Amino acid sequence: MDRRKLLSWFGLGWLISFLPSSLSGCSDTNSVSNSSSPAAPESVAAAPRGEFKAIGSVAQLDKDGKLISTDKKILVVRDPKNSNKVLAVNSACTHKGCVVEWQKSSQEYVCPCHDAKFAANGSVKQGPANKALPTYAAKIEKGQVLVSS
Ligand code: FES
């Protein structure tokens, strides 16, 4: 066997041993977010996309004027234009990521870092932020506030 043929056999052997492992890395069987998983997600943000998850009761929302998810990434308030509806936004300010706070008296989110202001629906009312807060679908069902991320 000449040297060229020997090297081509080594190359083929390497390809055969490498290919199955690289292909399995592309399959969905390794996906962490499997909706049939028996374990409940830890947060709304970790819930499968499109699935609603309770983040608190309507009674708590009305008592505090807001609800915040356990991971502090989602804020929910009553819609100032329709108190039968709820609005959910991502709490990270779009300027530099500080957590915004709901001001019940002025019905707006205020960023404590550089004073950006956002409406209840997440739209920018005052800079320096120039992008709206991302929103999530939210609804009330059986006394619970449900949010889908
Ligand atoms: Fe919110 Fe700067 S981080 S205004």
Side-chain angles (χ1 to χ4, degrees):
M1 183 178 285
D2 68 355
R3 193 173 134 203
R4 179 175 282 187
K5 204 170 197 173
L6 181 66
L7 287 175
S8 71
W9 277 108
F10 275 122
L12 186 60
W14 175 83
L15 184 64
I16 288 171
S17 66
F18 176 74
L19 200 56
S21 63
S22 63
L23 286 177
S24 69
C26 297
S27 76
D28 276 349
T29 56
N30 293 339
S31 176
V32 176
S33 61
N34 186 348
S35 62
S36 63
S37 172
E42 291 296 313
S43 70
V44 174
R49 193 154 188 81
E51 188 172 296
F52 281 88
K53 186 173 188 317
I55 68 163
S57 68
V58 173
Q60 193 68 45
L61 171 66
D62 290 338
K63 180 177 173 250
D64 297 343
K66 67 182 181 217
L67 281 177
I68 189 159
S69 61
T70 52
D71 60 7
K72 309 222 183 298
K73 292 181 179 174
I74 298 173
L75 270 165
V76 181
V77 297
R78 287 228 184 240
D79 184 343
K81 294 178 180 165
N82 181 351
S83 61
N84 293 325
K85 291 185 176 179
V86 286
L87 300 170
V89 299
N90 187 310
S91 62
C93 178
T94 55
H95 179 231
K96 295 207 184 249
C98 294
V99 175
V100 298
E101 296 164 1
W102 177 247
Q103 302 295 312
K104 192 174 182 179
S105 58
S106 56
Q107 299 283 287
E108 62 191 4
Y109 295 103
V110 177
C111 180
C113 294
H114 310 104
D115 209 30
K117 293 179 178 163
F118 303 87
N121 67 2
S123 63
V124 177
K125 289 178 75 179
Q126 174 182 302
N130 57 16
K131 282 178 59 183
L133 298 172
T135 59
Y136 304 102
K139 62 183 179 181
I140 294 173
E141 215 171 81
K142 297 178 184 169
Q144 293 292 305
V145 176
L146 307 175
V147 177
S148 171
S149 57

